[in-house]
Amino acid sequence: MKFSFHWLRPFRRTPTPLPEDVTLPVSGGLGTFGGVYTPSILTILGVIMYLRFGWVLGNVGLVGTLIIVTLSTSITFLTALSVCAIATDRVVRGGGAYYMISRSLGIETGGAVGIPLYFAQAISVALYTIGFAESLVATFPQLNARLVTVVVTMLVAVVAVTSARWAIRVQYVIMAAIALSLLAFVGGHSVSESVMGVWGAPVDRAEPFWSVFAVFFPAVTGIMAGVNMSGDLENPTRSLPTGTLWAVGTGYVIYMVLPLLLVVRADAVALTENPLIMQQMALWGPSILLGVWGATLSSALGSILGAPRVLQALVRDRVLPGWMRPLGTGEGPEDEPRIGTWVTLGVALVAVAIGDLNLIAPVLTMFFLTTYLVLNVAAGIEGFLQSPSFRPSFQVHWSLSFLGAAGCLAVMFLINALATVAAAAIALGIFLWLQQRELRTTWGDARRGMWMALLQTGIFQVDAVADTRNWQPHILVLSNSPTKRLAPIELADALAHHRGLITVSRVLSKGNSDIPRRAALESTIREFLSKQGLQVLVRLMESDDPFDGAAQLIETYGIGPLVPNTIVMGDSDDEASRDRYCQLIGHIHQAKRNVAILREHPIQGFGRRRRIDVWWGGMQANGSLMLLLAYLLRADTRWRRAEIFVNLVVPSEAAAQAARTNITALIAEMRIGAKTQVLIANDRPFETILQKISRRADVVFLGMANPAQFESNRDFRAYYDELHAKSAGLPATIFVLAAPEFAFSEVLKERSA
């Protein structure tokens, strides 16, 4: 593992070009101490420490408390390392954790985490003001706790709206009060005759360990307070790692020392039943009240400063709907999100209506753990891929980031598996909603690198020789007009049904387009087909002759063993080019590719998609491939109600009985749910039977003869003309020619096994 803990020295890094839609940082911004360390440590040493730490100790004992503190801080520390790695690789703008995730894993993932993160920050305002009111009412019982909470919440919002810089100055005074309270507590005394003791047992009917953990964990989530102020920092690349890690370290030392003092000064009952037990122990009791009030107010202030900036970033990235655009505006030289602050106040007041500290804290734990998990995943992926663009000054091995992510996920399930699944469902729902909106960004992210790494691994694992067990249709569609003639592409999409790759190709006349125009045309075709719900690749090439270009494309397109095995194209109605068209069919067959030629019906298209006719000629060659393609076609959701009819023509009644027995047994063995029809010719020509039986079908599969059986291309062209004539007037018809030397009958047996 490689670590570079040189975050106390100035960073040297190459400036990264900024996205077009991101504003530059405000000059003369906040420094490390005021902008990161102060809000982070004040959030860490907050309401949980003063009002719930004794309750934690009384429920799980000293050892359990030290385990909770260490485990919680370990997760936060690993996350802080991930945050530092990302922060020293790029300039972190407003939005903090959301900004980092969206620029690493994409805007959909960023939004899926950023929206819950905003609500977590907004709700945490209520957590802290409720804690303030609880301690104030304990001192002055004549006050109304709910009214105090509402008034204090509104006052905190007013301070935040006034100025972030002024709010930071207020936090310096609060930090001095907290320091005074801790000194008074250290010099304090016992309050119980019998104390809990180092090995004392917790109270009877204690809360479960993981429930206590859920209540405590928000105490160590203070790193978000600094990260969310990233847009207001003068030098976020330096300030975020330095301030964050110092805050985490300071908080851990204090939380490990406090329980050692508490256990020798009070018993378990006093610790769990008296939220202000620290006041009774302190050398000067009022100092604890000052610390409680200062900590709760500063934490509330930090949250109400951070949440609107996350909201502002979400709106500016167009994650939220357009009608919410006013929430992204900023006022004054420091770009204060004042409208967002008032909205955040409304969310906080709703949470205040709940009014239960122990109920709100676990909810925040889930939100923060989700954010921490994704931050760790983002840093882990960036480090694992070793992309040249990821060059953090603060280097952290990717395994530590993934360890942090695993810790977050494990703790979430241990706390509440149902709540974890619910949180995942919410994030997934937001992700799919954003993905459906097809948001465009001006920055890249790590997703392309992830897929490239998987693709590289997969390509080298694929055998060059196809096997029947894993055969999937990889289709190349030859089309002269992909945006106007969709039927062949829709057929390919139905056959692949997300099983294989589909590439739509077009051959352009040489000299009519240069490389930039060809790339733009590819993009246009891809976007058009995507809007039609067709997930395909697009490949354009130039050639003096369209048939030579198509033949060259079939021979060269692909990467390693991953090449198209099935060529889908439209039928040719141009008599003048029929010879070249038939030559292309022969070339495809020689290249050992399957051929599927769609002859469209000009009026009904694919009809009602209820009946598929397969004209059977036996399991060998075309017969098994046609049956396989019919099976794949019916697997598509648009064809799921279709019935497959396997039609077999025999010369006489004497042959019919054996044919019925054999084909029925064969189809039953394959379990593809097809119906069989054995038809007696009685000297009728095949085309008469074909026209009579298949005129009610929606698509018809007909096999083609092997071009190599004919002495010349002229003879094959005559055969193809005759096939045309026989099928004239039928519904949509697919002429099938199976690739040589591949046992498609074995594919059917594998699928039915």
Side-chain angles (χ1 to χ4, degrees):
M1 297 184 182
K2 183 180 179 183
F3 301 90
S4 297
F5 292 100
H6 54 278
W7 38 270
L8 292 178
R9 303 195 303 271
F11 293 95
R12 296 179 181 178
R13 64 188 300 275
T14 304
T16 303
L18 298 177
E20 296 175 1
D21 60 339
V22 177
T23 57
L24 290 169
V26 179
S27 60
L30 301 171
T32 301
F33 187 76
V36 181
Y37 181 81
T38 299
S40 296
I41 193 61
L42 291 182
T43 305
I44 291 173
L45 304 179
V47 63
I48 301 297
M49 181 183 74
Y50 285 108
L51 300 182
R52 289 296 181 271
F53 204 36
W55 178 87
V56 170
L57 182 63
N59 275 284
V60 298
L62 177 62
V63 175
T65 300
L66 297 180
I67 291 174
I68 286 177
V69 171
T70 301
L71 181 58
S72 301
T73 308
S74 297
I75 293 174
T76 300
F77 177 70
L78 291 172
T79 306
L81 294 179
S82 298
V83 169
C84 293
I86 298 174
T88 57
D89 176 66
R90 61 175 63 93
V91 177
V92 181
R93 308 292 178 182
Y98 157 73
Y99 184 92
M100 292 179 176
I101 294 169
S102 63
R103 270 58 178 178
S104 293
L105 300 182
I107 195 167
E108 295 88 355
T109 305
V113 176
I115 293 175
L117 175 62
Y118 163 73
F119 283 104
Q121 291 284 339
I123 294 171
S124 64
V125 177
L127 172 76
Y128 301 125
T129 55
I130 290 171
F132 174 85
E134 185 177 306
S135 62
L136 191 65
V137 171
T139 308
F140 305 102
Q142 66 273 21
L143 296 177
N144 182 285
R146 185 64 55 84
L147 180 60
V148 170
T149 306
V150 171
V151 171
V152 171
T153 303
M154 297 181 70
L155 289 176
V156 166
V158 171
V159 173
V161 167
T162 303
S163 172
R165 188 176 300 277
W166 189 82
I168 292 296
R169 293 193 183 103
V170 172
Q171 290 190 357
Y172 294 148
V173 178
I174 295 174
M175 187 159 63
I178 291 176
L180 176 63
S181 70
L182 290 175
L183 290 174
F185 175 74
V186 170
H189 51 81
S190 298
V191 296
S192 302
E193 293 183 3
S194 61
V195 297
M196 186 172 180
V198 175
W199 303 108
V203 294
D204 295 335
R205 298 181 182 178
E207 294 289 331
F209 178 86
W210 292 110
S211 297
V212 176
F213 179 96
V215 171
F216 174 80
F217 188 79
V220 295
T221 58
I223 62 171
M224 291 295 103
V227 172
N228 287 334
M229 294 298 294
S230 55
D232 295 88
L233 299 175
E234 182 177 3
N235 187 354
T237 303
R238 173 173 180 168
S239 296
L240 281 173
T242 306
T244 300
L245 293 178
W246 270 110
V248 172
T250 304
Y252 180 66
V253 170
I254 292 173
Y255 277 123
M256 292 296 283
V257 171
L258 287 180
L260 298 177
L261 298 175
L262 287 169
V263 295
V264 296
R265 294 181 178 178
D267 58 31
V269 175
L271 289 170
T272 54
E273 293 183 356
N274 188 352
L276 285 172
I277 189 69
M278 291 177 66
Q279 180 187 6
Q280 297 179 13
M281 295 180 183
L283 185 64
W284 182 47
S287 66
I288 299 297
L289 290 177
L290 292 176
V292 172
W293 297 338
T296 52
L297 291 177
S298 66
S299 298
L301 193 56
S303 296
I304 207 165
L305 285 173
R309 284 160 174 77
V310 175
L311 183 63
Q312 187 181 53
L314 288 167
V315 174
R316 289 180 174 179
D317 284 346
R318 298 182 295 279
V319 172
L320 299 178
W323 59 269
M324 301 181 73
R325 192 166 299 169
L327 300 179
T329 58
E331 299 180 24
E334 297 177 358
D335 197 28
E336 297 283 351
R338 292 180 181 174
I339 299 177
T341 302
W342 294 124
V343 172
T344 303
L345 172 61
V347 176
L349 290 175
V350 172
V352 165
I354 299 174
D356 188 343
L357 200 65
N358 286 9
L359 181 61
I360 294 176
V363 174
L364 296 182
T365 295
M366 284 298 174
F367 279 130
F368 283 122
L369 280 170
T370 302
T371 304
Y372 282 14
L373 187 152
V374 181
L375 276 171
N376 281 305
V377 168
I381 289 174
E382 294 271 26
F384 177 78
L385 294 178
Q386 297 182 347
S387 172
S389 64
F390 186 67
R391 304 184 304 277
S393 299
F394 188 97
Q395 296 184 16
V396 177
H397 196 271
W398 55 265
S399 61
L400 288 179
S401 297
F402 284 130
L403 178 62
C408 291
L409 186 62
V411 167
M412 289 174 71
F413 273 102
L414 289 170
I415 291 173
N416 191 321
L418 184 60
T420 302
V421 173
I426 292 171
L428 180 61
I430 298 173
F431 178 89
L432 296 175
W433 170 61
L434 294 175
Q435 193 175 53
Q436 186 179 21
R437 291 174 57 198
E438 299 180 346
L439 298 175
R440 294 179 178 273
T441 61
T442 57
W443 64 84
D445 53 61
R447 289 177 296 180
R448 181 179 176 86
M450 291 167 52
W451 294 122
M452 288 298 294
L454 290 173
L455 179 62
Q456 179 185 9
T457 303
I459 286 293
F460 285 108
Q461 297 300 318
V462 175
D463 195 343
V465 179
D467 65 275
T468 57
R469 177 67 181 84
N470 297 292
W471 186 88
Q472 299 286 2
H474 298 299
I475 300 175
L476 176 65
V477 182
L478 301 178
S479 175
N480 287 331
S481 183
T483 59
K484 295 180 180 179
R485 195 174 180 184
L486 287 177
I489 305 173
E490 290 176 346
L491 173 64
D493 182 65
L495 292 175
H497 193 60
H498 305 299
R499 296 182 179 89
L501 297 174
I502 304 172
T503 302
V504 175
S505 64
R506 179 183 175 186
V507 179
L508 303 174
S509 299
K510 213 164 193 178
N512 288 343
S513 65
D514 52 22
I515 293 177
R517 290 177 59 188
R518 188 164 70 242
L521 182 57
E522 277 190 5
S523 179
T524 300
I525 294 173
R526 188 182 303 110
E527 289 180 9
F528 172 81
L529 296 177
S530 178
K531 290 179 180 178
Q532 309 303 313
L534 301 169
Q535 190 174 18
V536 301
L537 304 173
V538 178
R539 180 64 182 270
L540 304 183
M541 70 173 299
E542 289 184 350
S543 178
D544 291 328
D545 181 87
F547 293 101
D548 289 343
Q552 182 181 357
L553 187 64
I554 291 166
E555 290 179 359
T556 60
Y557 181 70
I559 176 170
L562 193 60
V563 297
N565 55 31
T566 303
I567 311 301
V568 171
M569 52 187 182
D571 186 30
S572 173
D573 294 324
D574 185 5
E575 293 288 339
S577 62
R578 185 66 64 82
D579 283 340
R580 299 298 311 281
Y581 186 82
C582 290
Q583 283 180 348
L584 180 61
I585 295 174
H587 182 87
I588 297 171
H589 187 68
Q590 288 180 349
K592 298 183 179 180
R593 310 285 204 274
N594 306 311
V595 183
I597 300 172
L598 173 62
R599 183 176 184 180
E600 303 173 49
H601 192 282
I603 299 175
Q604 70 182 45
F606 289 116
R608 295 164 51 237
R609 292 183 169 88
R610 293 297 180 87
R611 174 168 172 163
I612 302 171
D613 272 12
V614 177
W615 288 90
W616 182 255
M619 280 291 288
Q620 301 304 315
N622 296 332
S624 54
L625 177 58
M626 287 193 296
L627 195 57
L628 177 59
L629 294 179
Y631 167 81
L632 294 174
L633 183 63
R634 192 181 58 184
D636 183 70
T637 54
R638 292 163 291 188
W639 289 85
R640 65 181 181 274
R641 296 183 180 179
E643 287 186 305
I644 300 175
F645 289 84
V646 180
N647 304 313
L648 174 62
V649 179
V650 296
S652 63
E653 181 64 42
Q657 187 60 42
R660 287 192 187 96
T661 302
N662 291 336
I663 193 172
T664 301
L666 183 63
I667 298 301
E669 179 186 353
M670 294 179 181
R671 294 184 295 177
I672 62 173
K675 296 183 178 180
T676 59
Q677 293 186 123
V678 177
L679 308 167
I680 302 173
N682 287 332
D683 298 326
R684 292 178 298 169
F686 172 74
E687 61 187 280
T688 302
I689 302 172
L690 172 65
Q691 292 286 344
K692 179 181 179 181
I693 298 299
S694 287
R695 64 187 177 186
R696 297 185 301 273
D698 295 303
V699 68
V700 180
F701 283 92
L702 287 174
M704 285 197 302
N706 185 345
Q709 296 176 356
F710 298 88
E711 294 184 1
S712 66
N713 184 65
R714 179 177 298 178
D715 293 337
F716 180 67
R717 188 273 172 73
Y719 160 78
Y720 191 80
D721 288 341
E722 183 181 353
L723 186 62
H724 248 250
K726 289 180 180 179
S727 59
L730 285 178
T733 304
I734 303 172
F735 303 129
V736 176
L737 178 60
E741 302 176 12
F742 190 82
F744 287 101
S745 58
E746 295 300 318
V747 179
L748 286 170
K749 292 177 181 178
E750 291 281 4
R751 288 181 179 275
S752 60

